[in-house]
Amino acid sequence: MTTTTPPSYNISNVSCLDLAKSSDPISTGIGFFDHMIDQLNSHAQVGVSVVVSLSSDDDKGDKNRFAEPMDNQCALASQVGSAMGTELSKIIEKVSVGSTSRFCCPLDEGLVECILTKSENGGSLTTFTLPPYGIYPSKTGRTKIGQMSTAIVQPFFQNLAVSSGLTISLHKVRGDNGHHVVESAFKAFSRALRNMIDGTDTSNDWSASMENTWGKSSQSYKDGIQLQRGGIIQRQTKETSIDVMLQLDGTNGSDKFVIDTGLNTLNTFVTSLAKEADVSLNAVCKGDLWVDDHHTSEDVAIALGQVLNKALGTKAGLNRMWCAVGGSGDAQVEVTMDLSNRPCLTSNLSLSNNEQGEEYVGDMSIEMFAHALESLVMNGQMTVHIVENNAGKNLMETVVATAIAFGRALRLCAAVDPRRAGKTASSKGTLSV
């Protein structure tokens, strides 16, 4: 059996410009690969361009001119990764050696964690657990997406890591959809890169860089106050009467919460969430609790999601994505959130299989707490992944930890990013359609 040596491609017009747009295109000759590289434009706010050719006669209008033979794609991706990494090394030149940045990117059927470290001893791809790409088919996952071989993802990041001086870890937390696993990896890398450049991180440590970028002395906070985002929802049925008023920006003081849903557990959850999100919230419900907790739990969550979605508007110019950890007692929970307008909740909270075999958490049935979470996410038009890192001694610890993580993630997702100048953080250019 004879093997053909892959050609040496010409890689030109390579640029990675911090907070700027490149005037050159992304044109690798593999359409889906172009789309993935473009995530750096939208999510790292790095202007990327790269053109791949074999000769001056190449048809640049053919988006998949180098898709066949597919066996050559890994060589192409390796060269592109190496060239892009060299350009990225210039952007991170001032980043301190040893600096680390972590980001998880939530898609409705995929969650990938990326950890970047500025290495002293040269870059490398230290962890890569993305395959199999989805469960269709169950044993192997997808071998190609569009005309792109999924085998090229690893050599692309491996060569990018070496030439950039970054150690890169890409870990699939969960994911049944191969397209979304790959997309989540590129977006997680892009967001981790942006945070590394900014000196911010998704840890709970509110550093000086976090304060300068997102805190109350930042331009982000000032721009949010100018928007004065808020909303009012009044929802009345034969089962419940609910009044909710939300103010996202410019809140101050400890008396900014009036939460009275009729359920103490729900009160605790909503108050903890609002406190960590740094919003002003009034939520009052008179419900038919003499029947059970179903209508009150569901309707309050629906109203909260609706008022949040109303206050966020088109979401243009917002940071949009974040992940945050919350703890209470022994419980530690991470929430990864995207204000995506594509509602989906994926969670591994140990609610149905709690060790105590409990049916209620406080005065709220466990199944209605789970349902309230889903109603909040669906009506808030967000994608949310909840990962329970450690279960609490009791379910109330898990409830509070979840609320804290949810609120912290929401605060940073809803923050205005002035560098976006009112434009949507999406390669589509909009979240409205």
Side-chain angles (χ1 to χ4, degrees), residues 107-263:
L107 276 80
D108 44 1
E109 294 176 278
L111 179 66
V112 172
E113 173 198 63
C114 177
I115 302 175
L116 304 179
T117 303
K118 177 78 175 289
S119 177
E120 185 176 12
N121 302 314
S124 63
L125 183 63
T126 57
T127 304
F128 189 82
T129 65
L130 303 189
Y133 293 96
I135 60 172
Y136 307 100
S138 59
K139 292 183 179 179
T140 60
R142 297 188 68 173
T143 59
K144 71 172 186 175
I145 302 172
Q147 297 301 309
M148 186 194 86
S149 167
T150 53
I152 78 172
V153 179
Q154 184 169 359
F156 168 75
F157 279 110
Q158 193 164 21
N159 283 272
L160 186 149
V162 170
S163 59
S164 66
L166 292 171
T167 59
I168 302 175
S169 168
L170 288 168
H171 169 60
K172 180 174 67 179
V173 181
R174 55 172 72 117
D176 292 344
N177 182 296
H179 178 125
H180 284 176
V181 169
V182 175
E183 187 175 346
S184 178
F186 275 84
K187 287 182 176 179
F189 170 78
S190 299
R191 290 280 176 160
L193 177 64
R194 179 72 261 162
N195 282 351
M196 172 172 278
I197 296 168
D198 290 344
T200 59
D201 196 14
T202 57
S203 70
N204 288 329
D205 297 328
W206 195 264
S207 63
S209 294
M210 285 288 289
E211 179 63 31
N212 290 336
T213 306
W214 305 116
K216 294 191 175 182
S217 61
S218 68
Q219 189 62 47
S220 168
Y221 187 79
K222 295 172 184 175
D223 288 355
I225 291 177
Q226 290 295 318
L227 292 176
Q228 282 298 296
R229 296 169 295 172
I232 296 174
I233 293 287
Q234 293 178 317
R235 194 175 190 276
Q236 195 151 9
T237 69
K238 291 181 179 180
E239 299 161 343
T240 59
S241 175
I242 300 173
D243 289 284
V244 178
M245 181 172 65
L246 172 69
Q247 186 69 36
L248 288 178
D249 307 292
T251 61
N252 195 21
S254 59
D255 57 346
K256 57 186 181 182
F257 314 118
V258 178
I259 312 296
D260 184 9
T261 68
L263 292 167

